[in-house]
Amino acid sequence: MATKPETDAGASAPSASASADSKPRSHDLKQRKGQFLIAPRRHPGMQMMGIAPLSMATVEQALKDSPDIEIIDRVGPKQVVGALATGMQDGGVLVARMNEDKAQALALQSQGQLIVERDQPLQLCDADYPQPAMVSYNLPLGGTAFSAEFQLMGKGQPVEGAEVYLFGSLLPARGVSDASGRVRLTLYGDSAASVRRLYVKPRADFWSFWQERPEVSDDELNLIGLRALSDWPSLKSFPQQQQLTWGQRAMRLDQLPNTYRGQGVKIAVVDSGCANSHQDLTQVSHGQDIVNKSATSWNIDTIAHGSHCTGVIAGLDSATGIRGFAPDAEIHACKLFPGGQISQLIEALEYCIEHQIDVVNMSLGGAEPSEALEQQIVRARRAGVACIVAAGNSGGPVQYPGSSPNVLTVAAIGRINEFPADSYHTQTTTPQIDANGFFAARFSCFGPEIAVCAPGVAITSSVPDNNFAAWDGTSMAAPHVTGLAALVLAHHPDFRGAGQMRSAERVEHLFQIIKRSCQPLMLGDPRRTGFGLPDVVRAVGLGQMQGMMAGAPGIASLMAPMSNHALGALLGNSAMHALANAYREPPAISPQNAALGMALGMGALDPYALYRGGMAPAFLQGSYW
């Protein structure tokens, strides 16, 4: 007799509650709580009026007692001694979530004694393809559409992972090439006739590609051949044979004695991390993942931006790749991206204070100034930390923190004939070009805050895994000056002995030396170039004597019989040091030339400038030697 199978309770019809759960849920979309910074205001005027900063311990307890406020972090000093030494007696900045109206009420209740501001997101200062303006139209839901497939090839092989952008009359289409080098893009509301331009950005090892009014087919495969970086004459045999970038040569790094390598200087790169698995970055062994509060993940650089900046600053001096300005400096990678905010930059600067960093590179910016961050920048400066900051890439006024008076802000320049004519780098040029081919980069921010300019167009450097890329941006310009600053601190005579004392005065003296070393650039608007392009040789204190020797070849032999003792007494440390590096047995100066020696030693005479201008007086040309 057949039995009736038992009903599986799990297979029974869904209950009422289960049926209800399966219905789509909904909620009213509202503005989420904002993330805010809360810090005691430390304005000098408050101290003059006898108003002491609020106790942050008291403030923190009051905020914890508020049901509408969630404290999520506290950034700032970790050591009491360091806090007192840099002017933060009751240290720290609170990070809290709350509604906008609650933040405004808190600011009013503090009667000006608290900083309450949004914890702004930060962005990296590298120049990318032109972003479309805010659209004022509806995208078509149907009708006309233009679709095309592209094949990217380089060195006879498919190029994978390249970003491809197709611009029409509406929003651009974007895709990434697959393992076969192919990508299909669709422009809605456009036709073949309305395609305006094509942009290809390879991940590494190839030049970018830019084409105005491209003839794109919608029924045939569109083949794009990419140039290898080594196809360019100045990068011939690269990376198998080590190179300096055009920017490093423009700043005369190639004319610096090889013993000048930044020994003993600590540099922090606040960026996206540093892939120290790269052959040019294996020496980097210090760092912190600020965002994830980890001491181990700083060397994972998914964006590659931090690795690129670090390569310019301190790429290894080896047989291959790119050599940095200061390959023997101690590098610290402070990982802030992706996801970096003002609070985390404050924490990164705290790392720099605690680890006695000498120079910090910040190729980043925000939308608005931050008073809480400015207080931290001042603290870092008092602790002897020199902040080198990118100006920004919006093509408008300098972005913050580049607009801070307490940092050295760097704009970007380029030079013609340093990149292929069909690369995107051509879009960065401006009409004003000087006799040396320099131009102010179109994307670079400008303003009275610009201290100096540096190469920031078609800069080749290291990117993960073990590759190289040519990028644009004030992000690329700032590392040139950071590397130079490390060389100055390591090798300029002014930073020996008492000059090693960490202080705001030391930072200011460093900035002034960099500015005074500059070659002025006449590119139409001084707000785009500041004091000009820094000169490495002059900045480290070698410029005067090397310039004189180059201008008057007979001087060295004529000076040889003179007294070394007299030379040391008359020239002073800086000029004597220059001669010692120019010659194995430095010549000296005779008594009849005491006036010349004293003028050189005091810096009152600059023979390099005199010879360059063709105005050398007779006594420098040999009549008195």
Side-chain angles (χ1 to χ4, degrees):
M1 176 177 163
T3 59
K4 184 178 179 180
E6 294 182 334
T7 303
D8 186 349
S12 61
S15 64
S17 60
S19 177
D21 288 342
S22 65
K23 293 180 179 178
R25 298 180 178 181
S26 63
H27 73 280
D28 294 331
L29 188 62
K30 298 180 293 185
Q31 186 180 59
R32 69 177 183 274
K33 288 184 176 180
Q35 189 161 301
F36 290 84
L37 303 178
I38 304 164
R41 180 169 277 117
R42 295 180 177 83
H43 194 280
M46 296 175 61
Q47 297 178 0
M48 293 175 62
M49 293 185 292
I51 303 174
L54 289 176
S55 165
M56 284 306 291
T58 303
V59 172
E60 184 173 3
Q61 187 58 53
L63 295 179
K64 286 180 177 178
D65 292 339
S66 174
D68 301 326
I69 299 176
E70 177 191 0
I71 296 177
I72 59 174
D73 202 1
R74 181 172 184 158
V75 297
K78 306 296 187 297
Q79 301 174 6
V80 175
V81 174
L84 293 174
T86 53
M88 188 176 279
Q89 289 79 5
D90 189 11
V93 176
L94 297 176
V95 185
R97 288 196 182 98
M98 66 186 87
N99 292 324
E100 183 75 37
D101 55 354
K102 189 69 176 181
Q104 293 177 0
L106 181 61
L108 290 173
Q109 290 168 7
S110 73
Q111 298 181 335
Q113 295 188 69
L114 278 182
I115 298 169
V116 183
E117 62 181 37
R118 277 198 173 273
D119 189 8
Q120 303 173 57
L122 296 168
Q123 59 187 14
L124 294 166
C125 291
D126 57 339
D128 208 340
Y129 79 94
Q131 300 286 345
M134 183 68 72
V135 296
S136 57
Y137 48 80
N138 293 326
L139 288 175
L141 299 177
T144 306
F146 177 78
S147 184
E149 187 173 10
F150 300 87
Q151 169 82 66
L152 307 183
M153 300 290 293
K155 292 185 175 181
Q157 300 293 325
V159 177
E160 182 181 4
E163 298 176 49
V164 184
Y165 298 85
L166 192 61
F167 296 83
S169 59
L170 301 178
L171 288 178
R174 174 192 178 276
V176 178
S177 59
D178 60 18
S180 65
R182 295 195 180 193
V183 59
R184 175 170 287 278
L185 302 177
T186 301
L187 287 172
Y188 294 97
D190 278 297
S191 63
S194 62
V195 174
R196 296 182 178 181
R197 60 187 65 95
L198 174 72
Y199 171 42
V200 180
K201 181 182 179 182
R203 291 186 62 84
D205 301 332
F206 295 93
W207 292 99
S208 61
F209 178 78
W210 179 270
Q211 178 67 62
E212 293 282 350
R213 297 182 300 279
E215 187 174 346
V216 180
S217 172
D218 59 353
D219 57 5
E220 294 181 351
L221 189 63
N222 297 277
L223 182 63
I224 301 173
L226 299 178
R227 301 172 186 263
L229 293 178
S230 57
D231 288 344
W232 195 244
S234 63
L235 293 175
K236 187 179 181 181
S237 303
F238 174 80
Q240 289 77 19
Q241 182 177 339
Q242 188 178 66
Q243 303 281 347
L244 292 177
T245 69
W246 75 261
Q248 292 168 325
R249 295 193 302 272
M251 292 172 64
R252 295 211 298 160
L253 180 63
D254 57 326
Q255 298 181 37
L256 198 65
N258 194 47
T259 54
Y260 285 57
R261 306 166 63 84
Q263 304 94 316
V265 175
K266 294 182 179 182
I267 305 172
V269 183
V270 181
D271 214 288
S272 61
C274 177
N276 61 355
S277 57
H278 193 286
Q279 63 184 17
D280 277 355
L281 306 174
T282 55
Q283 81 281 21
V284 182
S285 58
H286 304 274
Q288 181 77 22
D289 184 339
I290 306 295
V291 174
N292 297 305
K293 299 184 181 298
S294 168
T296 59
S297 53
W298 56 266
N299 59 358
I300 301 172
D301 186 4
T302 58
I303 300 175
H305 192 274
S307 300
H308 195 282
C309 292
T310 305
V312 173
I313 296 169
L316 274 179
D317 186 6
S318 60
T320 61
I322 292 290
R323 179 196 186 277
F325 279 82
D328 287 359
E330 180 179 301
I331 304 299
H332 292 245
C334 294
K335 184 174 179 178
L336 208 66
F337 296 95
Q341 294 179 269
I342 292 288
S343 60
Q344 289 149 350
L345 181 51
I346 291 173
E347 189 76 342
L349 288 175
E350 195 61 41
Y351 175 98
C352 295
I353 294 170
E354 291 176 2
H355 289 80
Q356 295 192 312
I357 298 297
D358 296 295
V359 188
V360 54
N361 187 89
M362 294 193 287
S363 292
L364 49 80
E368 298 176 2
S370 163
E371 189 178 352
L373 175 56
E374 188 65 24
Q375 290 189 163
Q376 184 75 331
I377 291 174
V378 170
R379 284 191 63 239
R381 185 180 172 110
R382 288 174 181 165
V385 180
C387 295
I388 311 291
V389 182
N393 298 331
S394 68
V398 173
Q399 296 177 343
Y400 187 80
S403 58
S404 166
N406 295 296
V407 305
L408 187 79
T409 304
V410 185
I413 60 170
R415 191 162 69 182
I416 58 174
N417 299 325
E418 296 292 351
F419 44 81
D422 60 357
S423 68
Y424 176 71
H425 308 297
T426 58
Q427 302 304 304
T428 70
T429 60
T430 45
Q432 194 81 21
I433 301 174
D434 73 3
N436 294 313
F438 293 123
F439 59 88
R442 185 181 303 277
F443 56 78
S444 184
C445 289
F446 59 89
E449 303 91 346
I450 298 296
V452 299
C453 59
V457 174
I459 303 302
T460 305
S461 189
S462 47
V463 296
D465 294 322
N466 199 30
N467 305 92
F468 298 88
W471 288 355
D472 305 332
T474 54
S475 274
M476 283 65 253
H480 283 74
V481 181
T482 298
L484 167 62
L487 292 175
V488 174
L489 287 173
H491 305 292
H492 195 287
D494 286 1
F495 296 101
R496 294 175 188 159
Q500 293 178 311
M501 297 292 292
R502 303 178 63 84
S503 66
E505 290 72 26
R506 185 180 83 147
V507 171
E508 180 58 27
H509 188 48
L510 170 65
F511 289 171
Q512 290 303 322
I513 287 175
I514 293 173
K515 292 174 185 177
R516 288 199 302 266
S517 79
C518 286
Q519 168 194 345
L521 298 183
M522 304 304 171
L523 298 177
D525 186 352
R527 299 177 304 161
R528 293 187 177 274
T529 54
F531 282 80
L533 177 64
D535 183 299
V536 174
V537 177
R538 290 172 62 83
V540 298
L542 298 181
Q544 288 186 350
M545 296 309 298
Q546 284 194 359
M548 184 176 71
M549 297 304 172
I555 287 180
S557 59
L558 289 168
M559 290 176 72
M562 301 173 188
S563 163
N564 283 336
H565 181 74
L567 178 70
L570 292 172
L571 286 185
N573 289 337
S574 179
M576 184 67 183
H577 187 67
L579 282 174
N581 281 278
Y583 297 93
R584 292 182 181 275
E585 296 181 1
I589 199 162
S590 63
Q592 61 263 41
N593 290 306
L596 173 61
M598 292 178 68
L600 286 168
M602 294 185 297
L605 179 64
D606 185 356
Y608 177 69
L610 292 172
Y611 274 100
R612 208 169 46 174
M615 299 180 292
F619 74 87
L620 280 179
Q621 295 182 8
S623 61
Y624 282 82
W625 293 91

